[in-house]
Every structure is written in C-alpha cells, then in structure tokens.
Amino acid sequence: MTFEPIEKQPGSNMFVMKCGGSTLAALPDSFFEDLRELQRSGVQPVIVHGGGPAISGNLEKLGIESSFVDGLRVTTEEVLDVVEMTLSGSINKTIVRRIQATGGQALGLSGVDGNLIMVRPVANSDVLGMVGEVTEVRAEIVTGILAMGYIPVIAPIGVDGGGQRYNINADTAAGAVASFVGSPTMIVVTDVPGIMRVLDGEKVVLPSVTVAQIEELIADGEIYGGMIPKVRAAMDCIQGDVSEVVIVDGKEPNVLSRVLQGEELGTRIVR
C-alpha cells in the first residue's frame, strides 16, 4: 500500500513511536522521564500503541470467543466493542497518565476522533470482519496537538466515511501515521534488544538489515519463534515515506534519546 502524505514538515523534530500496550505497561519510569526530557528539548514524539494481550484478556473475562487469521484478529461487532473499550479506554489513558506522572504533557485519542484515521474494509473482510485498511490520516490533527505542546497518544481504531468504526493493526496504523505526517523514521519499542542471529556460537544483535535479508534469516531459521511476528510487525511499518524502522528494547537506559542522537542501538530495518 502506498500513502500520500498530506503535509510534510522538513527539518521537523517529530518522530513516531510504536509500542504494544503490554510492553509499555512494563517499562520503567525512566523511559517516560526520557520522553519528558525529549519533549522539553523541543523534540515532538507521536505515539501509536497496540494492546493485543489486554484485548484477549478482556474478551476471555467476558466469555467472548476470539480468533486470528494471518496474525489479524477476526473482529465482529461484539469483539469490536471490547477492542475499542480496551484500546481507546484503559490502555490509552494508562499511557497518558504515565507520561503526565513524570511531568510530560500528553493527549490521548483514537483514530475515530476528528476522523483522524480514515479506513476502508480490508480485502478479506468477509473473513476478518470489521478490520480496516488505512486510506488517510489527518496529519493536521497530529501537528495541531504537537503545536499545543502535547504528545499525541493514538489508539488504532479507524472510521469510514459513514461513521462505521474498524479495528486496525497497530503496526499498520503506526506506519500510516508516520507516512502522513512525514516522519521517515519509526521507533518500535519492544522487550528485545533487536534482531539477533548466531555468529561464532554467540547471539549478537544485527545493527542493520534490509527487508530482503530478514526474509532470508526467517527462511534459514536464524529468526524463529516469537521473534518472527515482532520482526514482521516492524516490517509492516515500512510504507509510504517511512524508510527505516528501528527496533529497540524499551528498558535500555535513555533509549529514545540515544537512538535519535544516532547511537547504534537495536536493529535498523531499511528497504
């Protein structure tokens, strides 16, 4: 999918960060203090978050069955109620509270607010249900929130022209937001140090890989198990104007500042 950004801001200090809800919940206060210092120094973070495990937990508590096809949650209207409640409600506000508890300023919203993220049904919606493919992100809402001095914290729920809401894969939503606001770099915060492979009997982090090299590493079994979905999710973010995705461990001290200053941390995925 190719996105056409609405507005670019050359020289902007903006960057987009994608993080899973469970990963963010486990991050130390120092991560949010780093975010606060970046904001105070004039850097403009934009956060897009997920929340798969929390959604699954709430569905289980409510006795609602849920299934996945190719890594995407099959979303009925009943499931969508829980998805929206969890993402736009508890997870979104937890992130906002944590940012503000350390002295930062944040404003939480979902793609429904102001028609921020416009979508259409995915091609196989007959199988997946109410899952959306992003067609437009209203960049002026994001830049407007930044101009007011707040960090936008965005839940990946979208809406179509008729007001129907849709569940969006968080990685896809993050890539679309980054592309429409003109951010060439996406930072994906995870609980792993990056993409690793075995060299001379030791596991080492690969500082930089291309999308083609990742496919080779998966085929060779160098990337395996739970790392495969993490890597594929990061690859999904490379779309439109997003030319590189950096996978980092959120528990690394001052990880965001160090990546933005060009320090070699984690793994850079490039086209």
mmCIF file with all atom_site columns, all heavy atoms in Angstrom, residues 161-177:
data_model
loop_
_atom_site.group_PDB
_atom_site.id
_atom_site.type_symbol
_atom_site.label_atom_id
_atom_site.label_alt_id
_atom_site.label_comp_id
_atom_site.label_asym_id
_atom_site.label_entity_id
_atom_site.label_seq_id
_atom_site.pdbx_PDB_ins_code
_atom_site.Cartn_x
_atom_site.Cartn_y
_atom_site.Cartn_z
_atom_site.occupancy
_atom_site.B_iso_or_equiv
_atom_site.pdbx_formal_charge
_atom_site.auth_seq_id
_atom_site.auth_comp_id
_atom_site.auth_asym_id
_atom_site.auth_atom_id
_atom_site.pdbx_PDB_model_num
ATOM 1   N N   . GLY A 1 161 ? -16.213 6.725  5.925  1.00 0.00 ? 161 GLY A N   1
ATOM 2   C CA  . GLY A 1 161 ? -16.997 7.921  5.623  1.00 0.00 ? 161 GLY A CA  1
ATOM 3   C C   . GLY A 1 161 ? -18.401 7.893  6.182  1.00 0.00 ? 161 GLY A C   1
ATOM 4   O O   . GLY A 1 161 ? -19.027 8.938  6.385  1.00 0.00 ? 161 GLY A O   1
ATOM 5   N N   . GLY A 1 162 ? -18.903 6.687  6.475  1.00 0.00 ? 162 GLY A N   1
ATOM 6   C CA  . GLY A 1 162 ? -20.252 6.577  7.018  1.00 0.00 ? 162 GLY A CA  1
ATOM 7   C C   . GLY A 1 162 ? -20.299 6.515  8.535  1.00 0.00 ? 162 GLY A C   1
ATOM 8   O O   . GLY A 1 162 ? -21.364 6.325  9.128  1.00 0.00 ? 162 GLY A O   1
ATOM 9   N N   . GLY A 1 163 ? -19.113 6.638  9.174  1.00 0.00 ? 163 GLY A N   1
ATOM 10  C CA  . GLY A 1 163 ? -19.068 6.618  10.634 1.00 0.00 ? 163 GLY A CA  1
ATOM 11  C C   . GLY A 1 163 ? -18.903 5.233  11.239 1.00 0.00 ? 163 GLY A C   1
ATOM 12  O O   . GLY A 1 163 ? -18.911 5.089  12.461 1.00 0.00 ? 163 GLY A O   1
ATOM 13  N N   . GLN A 1 164 ? -18.741 4.212  10.394 1.00 0.00 ? 164 GLN A N   1
ATOM 14  C CA  . GLN A 1 164 ? -18.512 2.852  10.916 1.00 0.00 ? 164 GLN A CA  1
ATOM 15  C C   . GLN A 1 164 ? -17.075 2.750  11.431 1.00 0.00 ? 164 GLN A C   1
ATOM 16  O O   . GLN A 1 164 ? -16.137 3.140  10.752 1.00 0.00 ? 164 GLN A O   1
ATOM 17  C CB  . GLN A 1 164 ? -18.751 1.820  9.820  1.00 0.00 ? 164 GLN A CB  1
ATOM 18  C CG  . GLN A 1 164 ? -18.357 0.388  10.192 1.00 0.00 ? 164 GLN A CG  1
ATOM 19  C CD  . GLN A 1 164 ? -19.170 -0.175 11.336 1.00 0.00 ? 164 GLN A CD  1
ATOM 20  O OE1 . GLN A 1 164 ? -20.392 -0.121 11.330 1.00 0.00 ? 164 GLN A OE1 1
ATOM 21  N NE2 . GLN A 1 164 ? -18.487 -0.717 12.343 1.00 0.00 ? 164 GLN A NE2 1
ATOM 22  N N   . ARG A 1 165 ? -16.912 2.230  12.625 1.00 0.00 ? 165 ARG A N   1
ATOM 23  C CA  . ARG A 1 165 ? -15.561 2.080  13.194 1.00 0.00 ? 165 ARG A CA  1
ATOM 24  C C   . ARG A 1 165 ? -14.971 0.736  12.800 1.00 0.00 ? 165 ARG A C   1
ATOM 25  O O   . ARG A 1 165 ? -15.705 -0.221 12.518 1.00 0.00 ? 165 ARG A O   1
ATOM 26  C CB  . ARG A 1 165 ? -15.626 2.214  14.715 1.00 0.00 ? 165 ARG A CB  1
ATOM 27  C CG  . ARG A 1 165 ? -16.429 1.118  15.315 1.00 0.00 ? 165 ARG A CG  1
ATOM 28  C CD  . ARG A 1 165 ? -16.913 1.348  16.730 1.00 0.00 ? 165 ARG A CD  1
ATOM 29  N NE  . ARG A 1 165 ? -17.892 0.307  17.000 1.00 0.00 ? 165 ARG A NE  1
ATOM 30  C CZ  . ARG A 1 165 ? -18.051 -0.303 18.158 1.00 0.00 ? 165 ARG A CZ  1
ATOM 31  N NH1 . ARG A 1 165 ? -17.347 0.060  19.216 1.00 0.00 ? 165 ARG A NH1 1
ATOM 32  N NH2 . ARG A 1 165 ? -18.939 -1.260 18.308 1.00 0.00 ? 165 ARG A NH2 1
ATOM 33  N N   . TYR A 1 166 ? -13.638 0.682  12.817 1.00 0.00 ? 166 TYR A N   1
ATOM 34  C CA  . TYR A 1 166 ? -12.910 -0.532 12.436 1.00 0.00 ? 166 TYR A CA  1
ATOM 35  C C   . TYR A 1 166 ? -11.692 -0.715 13.337 1.00 0.00 ? 166 TYR A C   1
ATOM 36  O O   . TYR A 1 166 ? -11.072 0.257  13.781 1.00 0.00 ? 166 TYR A O   1
ATOM 37  C CB  . TYR A 1 166 ? -12.412 -0.441 10.986 1.00 0.00 ? 166 TYR A CB  1
ATOM 38  C CG  . TYR A 1 166 ? -13.494 -0.517 9.941  1.00 0.00 ? 166 TYR A CG  1
ATOM 39  C CD1 . TYR A 1 166 ? -14.227 0.616  9.602  1.00 0.00 ? 166 TYR A CD1 1
ATOM 40  C CD2 . TYR A 1 166 ? -13.778 -1.706 9.285  1.00 0.00 ? 166 TYR A CD2 1
ATOM 41  C CE1 . TYR A 1 166 ? -15.223 0.566  8.632  1.00 0.00 ? 166 TYR A CE1 1
ATOM 42  C CE2 . TYR A 1 166 ? -14.774 -1.776 8.315  1.00 0.00 ? 166 TYR A CE2 1
ATOM 43  C CZ  . TYR A 1 166 ? -15.493 -0.643 7.991  1.00 0.00 ? 166 TYR A CZ  1
ATOM 44  O OH  . TYR A 1 166 ? -16.475 -0.697 7.037  1.00 0.00 ? 166 TYR A OH  1
ATOM 45  N N   . ASN A 1 167 ? -11.346 -1.956 13.570 1.00 0.00 ? 167 ASN A N   1
ATOM 46  C CA  . ASN A 1 167 ? -10.104 -2.320 14.240 1.00 0.00 ? 167 ASN A CA  1
ATOM 47  C C   . ASN A 1 167 ? -8.976  -2.209 13.213 1.00 0.00 ? 167 ASN A C   1
ATOM 48  O O   . ASN A 1 167 ? -9.150  -2.577 12.058 1.00 0.00 ? 167 ASN A O   1
ATOM 49  C CB  . ASN A 1 167 ? -10.235 -3.760 14.748 1.00 0.00 ? 167 ASN A CB  1
ATOM 50  C CG  . ASN A 1 167 ? -9.058  -4.219 15.586 1.00 0.00 ? 167 ASN A CG  1
ATOM 51  O OD1 . ASN A 1 167 ? -8.239  -3.413 16.009 1.00 0.00 ? 167 ASN A OD1 1
ATOM 52  N ND2 . ASN A 1 167 ? -8.980  -5.513 15.826 1.00 0.00 ? 167 ASN A ND2 1
ATOM 53  N N   . ILE A 1 168 ? -7.825  -1.658 13.615 1.00 0.00 ? 168 ILE A N   1
ATOM 54  C CA  . ILE A 1 168 ? -6.674  -1.553 12.708 1.00 0.00 ? 168 ILE A CA  1
ATOM 55  C C   . ILE A 1 168 ? -5.471  -2.208 13.370 1.00 0.00 ? 168 ILE A C   1
ATOM 56  O O   . ILE A 1 168 ? -5.228  -2.009 14.567 1.00 0.00 ? 168 ILE A O   1
ATOM 57  C CB  . ILE A 1 168 ? -6.290  -0.088 12.398 1.00 0.00 ? 168 ILE A CB  1
ATOM 58  C CG1 . ILE A 1 168 ? -7.510  0.762  12.051 1.00 0.00 ? 168 ILE A CG1 1
ATOM 59  C CG2 . ILE A 1 168 ? -5.266  -0.016 11.276 1.00 0.00 ? 168 ILE A CG2 1
ATOM 60  C CD1 . ILE A 1 168 ? -7.197  2.253  11.979 1.00 0.00 ? 168 ILE A CD1 1
ATOM 61  N N   . ASN A 1 169 ? -4.711  -2.979 12.605 1.00 0.00 ? 169 ASN A N   1
ATOM 62  C CA  . ASN A 1 169 ? -3.452  -3.492 13.115 1.00 0.00 ? 169 ASN A CA  1
ATOM 63  C C   . ASN A 1 169 ? -2.584  -2.316 13.554 1.00 0.00 ? 169 ASN A C   1
ATOM 64  O O   . ASN A 1 169 ? -2.397  -1.358 12.795 1.00 0.00 ? 169 ASN A O   1
ATOM 65  C CB  . ASN A 1 169 ? -2.756  -4.299 12.014 1.00 0.00 ? 169 ASN A CB  1
ATOM 66  C CG  . ASN A 1 169 ? -1.366  -4.740 12.409 1.00 0.00 ? 169 ASN A CG  1
ATOM 67  O OD1 . ASN A 1 169 ? -0.405  -4.023 12.181 1.00 0.00 ? 169 ASN A OD1 1
ATOM 68  N ND2 . ASN A 1 169 ? -1.261  -5.920 12.982 1.00 0.00 ? 169 ASN A ND2 1
ATOM 69  N N   . ALA A 1 170 ? -2.058  -2.370 14.772 1.00 0.00 ? 170 ALA A N   1
ATOM 70  C CA  . ALA A 1 170 ? -1.329  -1.223 15.334 1.00 0.00 ? 170 ALA A CA  1
ATOM 71  C C   . ALA A 1 170 ? -0.083  -0.866 14.534 1.00 0.00 ? 170 ALA A C   1
ATOM 72  O O   . ALA A 1 170 ? 0.261   0.314  14.391 1.00 0.00 ? 170 ALA A O   1
ATOM 73  C CB  . ALA A 1 170 ? -0.953  -1.500 16.790 1.00 0.00 ? 170 ALA A CB  1
ATOM 74  N N   . ASP A 1 171 ? 0.607   -1.862 13.996 1.00 0.00 ? 171 ASP A N   1
ATOM 75  C CA  . ASP A 1 171 ? 1.820   -1.592 13.217 1.00 0.00 ? 171 ASP A CA  1
ATOM 76  C C   . ASP A 1 171 ? 1.474   -0.892 11.910 1.00 0.00 ? 171 ASP A C   1
ATOM 77  O O   . ASP A 1 171 ? 2.159   0.041  11.488 1.00 0.00 ? 171 ASP A O   1
ATOM 78  C CB  . ASP A 1 171 ? 2.565   -2.896 12.942 1.00 0.00 ? 171 ASP A CB  1
ATOM 79  C CG  . ASP A 1 171 ? 2.928   -3.600 14.231 1.00 0.00 ? 171 ASP A CG  1
ATOM 80  O OD1 . ASP A 1 171 ? 3.888   -3.148 14.887 1.00 0.00 ? 171 ASP A OD1 1
ATOM 81  O OD2 . ASP A 1 171 ? 2.241   -4.555 14.603 1.00 0.00 ? 171 ASP A OD2 1
ATOM 82  N N   . THR A 1 172 ? 0.387   -1.341 11.288 1.00 0.00 ? 172 THR A N   1
ATOM 83  C CA  . THR A 1 172 ? -0.070  -0.697 10.057 1.00 0.00 ? 172 THR A CA  1
ATOM 84  C C   . THR A 1 172 ? -0.482  0.739  10.338 1.00 0.00 ? 172 THR A C   1
ATOM 85  O O   . THR A 1 172 ? -0.157  1.657  9.579  1.00 0.00 ? 172 THR A O   1
ATOM 86  C CB  . THR A 1 172 ? -1.262  -1.476 9.462  1.00 0.00 ? 172 THR A CB  1
ATOM 87  O OG1 . THR A 1 172 ? -0.866  -2.830 9.257  1.00 0.00 ? 172 THR A OG1 1
ATOM 88  C CG2 . THR A 1 172 ? -1.702  -0.883 8.144  1.00 0.00 ? 172 THR A CG2 1
ATOM 89  N N   . ALA A 1 173 ? -1.209  0.937  11.446 1.00 0.00 ? 173 ALA A N   1
ATOM 90  C CA  . ALA A 1 173 ? -1.656  2.289  11.809 1.00 0.00 ? 173 ALA A CA  1
ATOM 91  C C   . ALA A 1 173 ? -0.460  3.200  12.069 1.00 0.00 ? 173 ALA A C   1
ATOM 92  O O   . ALA A 1 173 ? -0.428  4.352  11.633 1.00 0.00 ? 173 ALA A O   1
ATOM 93  C CB  . ALA A 1 173 ? -2.551  2.231  13.044 1.00 0.00 ? 173 ALA A CB  1
ATOM 94  N N   . ALA A 1 174 ? 0.545   2.676  12.782 1.00 0.00 ? 174 ALA A N   1
ATOM 95  C CA  . ALA A 1 174 ? 1.737   3.478  13.092 1.00 0.00 ? 174 ALA A CA  1
ATOM 96  C C   . ALA A 1 174 ? 2.481   3.871  11.824 1.00 0.00 ? 174 ALA A C   1
ATOM 97  O O   . ALA A 1 174 ? 2.908   5.025  11.662 1.00 0.00 ? 174 ALA A O   1
ATOM 98  C CB  . ALA A 1 174 ? 2.659   2.701  14.027 1.00 0.00 ? 174 ALA A CB  1
ATOM 99  N N   . GLY A 1 175 ? 2.632   2.918  10.899 1.00 0.00 ? 175 GLY A N   1
ATOM 100 C CA  . GLY A 1 175 ? 3.305   3.217  9.635  1.00 0.00 ? 175 GLY A CA  1
ATOM 101 C C   . GLY A 1 175 ? 2.562   4.270  8.835  1.00 0.00 ? 175 GLY A C   1
ATOM 102 O O   . GLY A 1 175 ? 3.169   5.154  8.222  1.00 0.00 ? 175 GLY A O   1
ATOM 103 N N   . ALA A 1 176 ? 1.226   4.194  8.842  1.00 0.00 ? 176 ALA A N   1
ATOM 104 C CA  . ALA A 1 176 ? 0.415   5.174  8.118  1.00 0.00 ? 176 ALA A CA  1
ATOM 105 C C   . ALA A 1 176 ? 0.529   6.558  8.744  1.00 0.00 ? 176 ALA A C   1
ATOM 106 O O   . ALA A 1 176 ? 0.676   7.560  8.043  1.00 0.00 ? 176 ALA A O   1
ATOM 107 C CB  . ALA A 1 176 ? -1.046  4.728  8.093  1.00 0.00 ? 176 ALA A CB  1
ATOM 108 N N   . VAL A 1 177 ? 0.472   6.626  10.077 1.00 0.00 ? 177 VAL A N   1
ATOM 109 C CA  . VAL A 1 177 ? 0.609   7.918  10.763 1.00 0.00 ? 177 VAL A CA  1
ATOM 110 C C   . VAL A 1 177 ? 1.973   8.528  10.432 1.00 0.00 ? 177 VAL A C   1
ATOM 111 O O   . VAL A 1 177 ? 2.079   9.706  10.076 1.00 0.00 ? 177 VAL A O   1
ATOM 112 C CB  . VAL A 1 177 ? 0.442   7.756  12.295 1.00 0.00 ? 177 VAL A CB  1
ATOM 113 C CG1 . VAL A 1 177 ? 0.870   9.031  13.029 1.00 0.00 ? 177 VAL A CG1 1
ATOM 114 C CG2 . VAL A 1 177 ? -1.009  7.422  12.637 1.00 0.00 ? 177 VAL A CG2 1
#
